[in-house]
Amino acid sequence: MNIRTLETFIWIARLGSFRAAANRVYASQPSVSARIAGLEDQLGVELFDRSARKITLTAKGREFLIYAEKMLALHGEMMQAVAKPSSIRGTIRLAVSETIAHTWLPQLIERVSEAYPAINLELDVDISVNLAEKLANHEIDIAFLMGGVNQPGIINRDLCRYSLIWVASPRLDIPGGRISLEELSTWPIITYPRKSEPYLAIRSLVDPMNHSTRIHSSSSLSTIIRMTVDGLGVSALPREILEQELRAGTLRQFEIDAEVPDLAFCAAYRAGPGGKVVQAIAELALATAENRSAMIENAPGEAGKTD
């Protein structure tokens, strides 16, 4: 009975599948089956009911799960407190919104590599709705996403905020200064995906003015920026991801007679056994975001700051 076997048992219990657990612990399915068979032989009991389509715990399996989670949690605490960071190994599945991938994610990866040189990061960039679902389904370990994940056992911590600015290509010849919501509603708007907070906020602004306003949504920030540069519409995006286009003059900022709420991001991860490294990565993320915010605030002539 070792930590790897206990971890394998816990993931089968969580996911209800030997195959899914094998993917999660980076082992072959025969290897996972062999670990559990050896564990059951050692204990002299069956831990899983394999008669149904989805594998479930037996009564003894449910009892054993309590102890296995305690042992895995204690092992994580021990490694975090005693072992050298270079001795802590494993793979952390880190999922982030594209806005963060475009800003301070490289600095975070560098910090994680320095703190835990033997930890591998498996990165996933996706929209926040999908990230929340993946975290709830145990497909990832930690997510940096808009809003939070309202699920039992998941910790949400405020991470960073981005103010949005309105931009357009000079070829659209939008008047400088401030324009009304009615004027805004006459232009196509290119924004985040449907059901996202920015999309819903922008839709609520322009719908009362003009129900025929075209809103083009995309899950790719690069696509949104490219379409806006090409003059296909206007966008409200964080200044931090538009620095190159604003300096080059391919996009120009303009103001409207209303505010779009900031993009509020949080770090979400599951509280539970073996989560010490995940929690440490969340702390590094908070420090990285705070450091970047301080740099922007102290930079001369910067607008559209994060906080």
Side-chain angles (χ1 to χ4, degrees):
M1 188 183 302
N2 55 45
I3 293 299
R4 182 174 296 182
T5 300
L6 293 178
E7 184 182 24
T8 302
F9 165 77
I10 289 171
W11 279 113
I12 296 172
R14 288 175 177 172
L15 301 175
S17 164
F18 276 65
R19 178 177 297 178
N23 291 334
R24 189 62 182 78
V25 299
Y26 301 94
S28 66
Q29 189 170 342
S31 176
V32 164
S33 298
R35 291 178 193 175
I36 299 305
L39 183 60
E40 290 179 326
D41 286 344
Q42 184 178 359
L43 295 172
V45 298
E46 287 191 353
L47 298 172
F48 293 103
D49 181 354
R50 299 167 174 82
S51 60
R53 190 169 193 179
K54 183 176 181 179
I55 295 173
T56 57
L57 289 167
T58 62
K60 283 294 183 182
R62 290 192 296 272
E63 187 177 355
F64 184 71
L65 179 62
I66 297 172
Y67 292 99
E69 288 183 334
K70 288 179 180 178
M71 292 176 70
L72 193 61
L74 185 59
H75 176 265
E77 291 177 10
M78 177 189 69
M79 294 296 291
Q80 193 76 12
V82 178
K84 292 181 179 180
S86 59
S87 301
I88 300 176
R89 302 179 179 276
T91 298
I92 300 297
R93 299 186 180 192
L94 169 63
V96 302
S97 169
E98 195 176 1
T99 302
I100 291 175
H102 276 263
T103 50
W104 48 263
L105 180 61
Q107 287 77 30
L108 173 63
I109 294 174
E110 186 177 354
R111 287 191 173 198
V112 173
S113 297
E114 291 174 353
Y116 300 99
I119 288 290
N120 299 312
L121 290 179
E122 187 173 298
L123 298 176
D124 183 358
V125 180
D126 206 340
I127 61 175
S128 294
V129 172
N130 292 346
L131 297 185
E133 184 176 352
K134 290 177 182 179
L135 187 62
N137 292 336
H138 298 276
E139 296 174 28
I140 55 178
D141 298 306
I142 183 170
F144 304 149
L145 73 170
M146 273 190 278
V149 182
N150 186 22
Q151 291 281 343
I154 292 180
I155 297 171
N156 294 283
R157 302 183 63 183
D158 292 340
L159 185 57
C160 59
R161 302 177 73 89
Y162 293 93
S163 298
L164 299 181
I165 63 171
W166 286 94
V167 292
S169 168
R171 69 181 71 181
L172 292 187
D173 199 27
I174 291 180
R178 186 176 295 269
I179 67 172
S180 67
L181 281 176
E182 188 172 358
E183 290 176 287
L184 176 69
S185 68
T186 64
W187 298 95
I189 298 173
I190 308 165
T191 188
Y192 290 80
R194 285 178 176 271
K195 298 184 180 180
S196 69
E197 294 179 13
Y199 180 96
L200 296 174
I202 290 171
R203 174 64 77 182
S204 68
L205 285 178
V206 298
D207 267 359
M209 304 295 127
N210 184 353
H211 284 285
S212 63
T213 301
R214 287 175 292 165
I215 298 184
H216 306 308
S217 60
S218 174
S219 60
S220 167
L221 278 180
S222 299
T223 300
I224 294 173
I225 294 171
R226 183 72 261 169
M227 292 174 67
T228 309
V229 168
D230 289 343
L232 300 179
V234 303
S235 297
L237 294 166
R239 175 181 288 274
E240 288 78 5
I241 66 173
L242 298 173
E243 292 173 354
Q244 181 178 344
E245 289 77 14
L246 292 170
R247 282 197 303 266
T250 54
L251 288 177
R252 295 191 308 189
Q253 182 178 352
F254 64 93
E255 307 288 339
I256 67 168
D257 286 336
E259 290 187 2
V260 179
D262 292 349
L263 305 185
F265 288 88
C266 74
Y269 55 94
R270 192 174 295 279
K276 291 296 181 181
V277 175
V278 170
Q279 182 178 344
I281 290 176
E283 296 290 347
L284 288 174
L286 291 167
T288 303
E290 184 177 351
N291 182 63
R292 180 177 175 85
S293 175
M295 290 177 60
I296 292 174
E297 288 177 357
N298 295 327
E302 282 287 352
K305 303 171 184 175
T306 59
D307 54 30

